[in-house]
Amino acid sequence: MNIKIFIVGDKIEKFYLEGIKEYEKRLSRYCKIKLHHFKNEESLSKKLSDKHYKVFISTKGKIISSEELADKINHLGVTGKSDVSLIIGADSLPHDEVLSISSMEMDLGLKTTIIFEQIYRAYRILNNEPYHK
């Protein structure tokens, strides 16, 4: 699976980026995942591919559990939708689905780190591996 995380917004604090890099490293055994940071939606819209399944992360989206996210990732993979874009911080771009990690507002860096963590957790669930060592 190829997962691209697109974020739109201001600078992300260094400690969040360090956490994200750790999850990128952990996820490398399960999928290809890459973070792309944009200052505005116009720049991002030029990079979005019509071939990707686009999921918008918003406080107004459907809240799903870690297990449901694992099922969603598995379903996308088996149905041939192995190129997935998760979009954080942009609200007017075309998308296929809207999900939420919380109905509470939070910092862009925190939200992005949580998304990486939940993707990692989903792959651990899919592979019947314990999350905590």
Side-chain angles (χ1 to χ4, degrees):
M1 171 125 0
N2 292 316
I3 302 172
K4 292 184 179 182
I5 311 287
F6 293 106
I7 59 172
V8 176
D10 295 329
K11 179 182 168 187
I12 293 181
E13 297 292 331
K14 183 179 177 182
F15 63 92
Y16 287 129
L17 292 173
E18 289 171 1
I20 290 166
K21 285 185 191 288
E22 176 62 28
Y23 282 113
E24 282 179 332
K25 185 173 80 173
R26 292 180 186 191
L27 281 162
S28 66
R29 66 186 280 209
Y30 303 111
C31 65
K32 288 184 178 180
I33 189 164
K34 185 74 176 145
L35 176 65
H36 302 273
H37 191 178
F38 295 90
K39 294 287 182 190
N40 56 56
E41 289 185 30
E42 296 80 34
S43 300
L44 169 58
S45 66
K46 295 174 187 174
K47 296 291 183 182
L48 288 175
S49 169
D50 288 338
K51 296 177 184 177
H52 279 230
Y53 186 83
K54 294 173 220 48
V55 179
F56 178 60
I57 306 298
S58 167
T59 56
K60 297 175 180 86
K62 177 183 177 188
I63 295 176
I64 61 173
S65 68
S66 299
E67 292 80 8
E68 290 170 320
L69 179 61
D71 289 342
K72 180 165 290 301
I73 288 172
N74 187 53
H75 178 74
L76 289 170
V78 299
T79 57
K81 297 175 184 171
S82 59
D83 293 317
V84 178
S85 295
L86 298 175
I87 304 161
I88 304 169
D91 56 5
S92 65
L93 298 174
H95 52 274
D96 297 300
E97 187 170 7
V98 181
L99 296 177
S100 179
I101 56 173
S102 173
S103 58
M104 293 187 281
E105 293 290 334
M106 63 184 73
D107 180 84
L108 180 64
L110 178 59
K111 188 182 292 187
T112 304
T113 305
I114 290 171
I115 290 296
F116 271 86
E117 185 273 338
Q118 284 298 303
I119 293 169
Y120 175 70
R121 184 181 291 266
Y123 274 104
R124 299 294 285 190
I125 291 167
L126 287 172
N127 288 284
N128 295 315
E129 298 169 342
Y131 181 72
H132 300 288
K133 294 182 180 183

